[in-house]
Amino acid sequence: MSFRNASLRIARTAGASIAKRALSSAATRPALRTATKVAGVRGVKTINFGGVDEVVYERADWPREKLLEYFKNDTLALIGYGSQGYGQGLNLRDNGLNVIIGVRENGASWKAAIEDGWVPGENLFPVEEAVKKGTYVMNLLSDAAQSETWSTLEPLITEGKTLYFSHGFSPVFKDLTHVVPPKNVDVILVAPKGSGRTVRSLFKEGRGINSSYAVWNDVTGKAHEKAQALAVAVGSGYVYQTTFEREVNSDLYGERGCLMGGIHGMFLAQYDVLRENGHSPSEAFNETVEEATQSLYPLIGKYGMDYMYDACSTTARRGALDWYPIFKDALKPVFEKLYESTKNGTETKRSLDFNSQPDYREKLEKELDVIRNMEIWKVGREVRKLRPENN
Ligand SMILES: NC(=O)c1ccc[n+]([C@@H]2O[C@H](COP(=O)([O-])OP(=O)(O)OC[C@H]3O[C@@H](n4cnc5c(N)ncnc54)[C@H](OP(=O)(O)O)[C@@H]3O)[C@@H](O)[C@H]2O)c1
């Protein structure tokens, strides 16, 4: 695809006004956002997202001093130190809050936590001990482990504590997971929209991930406030409200669709057809993955798809305009099937069944090995080496 950067277009083409529009709309986007309606309550903003008003909460609503004051009598017991435990735990620690980690003694996470400076007996404990000590129990075990450990942990989550999740999975699909949160405690959720590594790296850069929050039980009348505060404390830049059900359905659906499964399927289909038609591996990879990830997707992220249509060649634009409805019509039934499979618990059941098998890591390795050995991804390793910054 031929793509011109906006300044080249302005200089070269009669369509300069289109490019100017694209640039100016991109440039005005932040200004539009700050100019949105501000509701009466301090710091809470109602933003019109594509015609629908939604309330968002921002980091500015919870400066560090306010967080320190809010959680001054609390012990945040974060159990599980995988991707999210690492990101959220270190951010909480850097924010100066009293956070302790609970993981299986001498397991992989225990060792990882020690490497990150958590000290056994001081702020690193076996899971049950941490849960006993915490006023907040932040359940960041793997989803399968939340189900496996629930019968042991549930009696320890006593009145006065707050139970926190980063995914609606366990309580929403309680018939499958058997995780039924106690009725006498606040139960909240903060779901960062990215991996725990990103939660950490954005925080360190002084930025923040976007997260959703939800409340399952509001016993104290303060559950919403607690979730908003914790969302900022773990490293969110802004937070929007959802429900446990909507969070789990959109999350499972998204990762199986455009975020991973769907995009992987689309890459493979496009690559195969190019190869079957005599294109070389490097050409097929470049036209399928490299140009997408290195050139186009970052621009879509920064300025939007509408900008892309303005900033590409007239030939590319015509083709994409003609073909996107064909792809949409072909794919929509697949997405409908996927949403149903998410909503009716099929995806949860499959995930629990697979991930709780004792030999699940070996089985997973076999499947991942198939992907590693696909021609497309082997080609990708070579193409990435050719990037000047990797030479
Ligand atoms: N990863 C993401 O990008 C992401 C994003 C948003 C939300 N979430 C949600 O955040 C939560 C945590 O996810 P994650 O990806 O960070 O978790 P993960 O990496 O899958 O979880 C690993 C943690 O669970 C522990 N664990 C596993 N089996 C256990 C068992 N039987 N008993 C005790 N501990 C056990 C592991 O300890 P050992 O090392 O001892 O095995 C490790 O500390 C989940 O609810 C997930 O859906 C994840």
Side-chain angles (χ1 to χ4, degrees):
M1 171 184 171
S2 87
F3 166 75
R4 300 170 187 163
N5 74 35
S7 55
L8 272 177
R9 271 193 96 237
I10 291 167
R12 277 201 213 143
T13 69
S17 60
I18 299 174
K20 271 187 196 149
R21 261 206 325 274
L23 275 177
S24 67
S25 71
T28 52
R29 215 149 280 151
L32 274 175
R33 196 163 176 282
T34 45
T36 48
K37 188 170 82 188
V38 177
V41 187
R42 189 218 152 264
V44 177
K45 291 181 181 57
T46 304
I47 296 195
N48 189 287
F49 289 103
V52 179
D53 277 350
E54 290 185 46
V55 173
V56 298
Y57 303 84
E58 295 181 280
R59 188 164 53 191
D61 303 332
W62 287 92
R64 196 157 163 267
E65 303 68 43
K66 190 172 161 187
L67 286 175
L68 290 174
E69 175 63 25
Y70 194 78
F71 292 112
K72 70 178 178 204
N73 297 322
D74 286 307
T75 300
L76 309 173
L78 189 157
I79 56 170
Y81 199 71
S83 166
Q84 287 298 324
Y86 154 85
Q88 297 188 30
L90 291 179
N91 292 354
L92 288 169
R93 193 173 74 183
D94 285 356
N95 269 331
L97 300 176
N98 178 22
V99 54
I100 60 173
I101 303 293
V103 283
R104 287 191 280 207
E105 218 167 350
N106 298 320
S109 297
W110 181 271
K111 288 172 192 150
I114 289 175
E115 276 175 28
D116 290 339
W118 302 94
V119 181
E122 197 177 296
N123 52 20
L124 175 62
F125 301 94
V127 176
E128 289 170 45
E129 212 177 319
V131 172
K132 283 183 202 157
K133 286 181 188 296
T135 54
Y136 281 73
V137 177
M138 302 176 69
N139 197 336
L140 296 181
L141 298 174
S142 70
D143 293 310
Q146 291 181 21
S147 176
E148 280 168 47
T149 57
W150 185 245
S151 58
T152 316
L153 299 187
E154 198 255 328
L156 308 178
I157 302 168
T158 47
E159 198 168 349
K161 293 187 192 255
T162 299
L163 177 60
Y164 167 106
F165 293 96
S166 280
H167 200 7
F169 190 99
S170 294
V172 170
F173 293 111
K174 54 186 178 303
D175 293 345
L176 296 165
T177 63
H178 309 296
V179 176
V180 182
K183 286 201 166 35
N184 60 346
V185 303
D186 286 345
V187 182
I188 59 177
L189 168 148
V190 173
K193 299 291 121 191
S195 87
R197 301 276 146 192
T198 319
V199 170
R200 182 63 180 155
S201 61
L202 289 178
F203 178 85
K204 285 210 294 194
E205 288 166 32
R207 299 161 66 198
I209 192 129
N210 54 324
S211 304
S212 60
Y213 94 88
V215 168
W216 181 271
N217 270 356
D218 187 3
V219 176
T220 61
K222 295 205 157 140
H224 287 265
E225 187 181 84
K226 288 176 180 179
Q228 292 150 18
L230 255 190
V232 172
V234 300
S236 309
Y238 80 89
V239 194
Y240 62 93
Q241 190 179 353
T242 186
T243 63
F244 273 63
E245 287 81 2
R246 287 206 303 263
E247 188 283 329
V248 72
N249 286 332
S250 59
D251 189 84
L252 295 176
Y253 173 78
E255 66 203 8
R256 280 153 183 73
C258 283
L259 303 179
M260 276 196 79
I263 203 76
H264 190 199
M266 194 145 161
F267 282 153
L268 294 180
Q270 171 160 320
Y271 182 89
D272 279 1
V273 171
L274 284 169
R275 292 287 289 128
E276 283 154 17
N277 281 280
H279 296 266
S280 68
S282 67
E283 184 169 61
F285 186 85
N286 272 293
E287 282 299 338
T288 303
V289 181
E290 191 71 353
E291 185 169 346
T293 59
Q294 301 310 296
S295 171
L296 272 60
Y297 292 178
L299 285 170
I300 296 171
K302 212 163 179 185
Y303 302 120
M305 196 72 215
D306 47 343
Y307 168 91
M308 279 302 309
Y309 277 99
D310 263 349
C312 68
S313 72
T314 50
T315 312
R317 181 192 306 153
R318 183 68 263 142
L321 285 170
D322 290 343
W323 276 89
Y324 87 78
I326 299 171
F327 279 108
K328 186 185 165 193
D329 290 349
L331 290 171
K332 199 163 170 211
V334 182
F335 279 101
E336 282 165 346
K337 196 171 155 195
L338 168 59
Y339 193 82
E340 186 48 34
S341 182
T342 300
K343 202 172 160 198
N344 68 22
T346 305
E347 296 304 310
T348 300
K349 183 165 178 352
R350 175 149 171 73
S351 174
L352 283 173
D353 287 349
F354 184 83
N355 293 332
S356 47
Q357 290 170 25
D359 58 347
Y360 108 93
R361 278 184 205 276
E362 293 79 22
K363 284 185 175 160
L364 178 69
E365 257 325 289
K366 273 195 193 147
E367 285 187 81
L368 295 184
D369 226 38
V370 172
I371 294 177
R372 278 181 210 118
N373 286 308
M374 282 177 178
E375 183 187 281
I376 182 172
W377 302 120
K378 288 206 254 184
V379 175
R381 286 195 275 281
E382 296 311 312
V383 169
R384 286 194 294 279
K385 283 187 208 156
L386 291 172
R387 290 184 198 153
E389 70 271 22
N390 292 341
N391 280 331

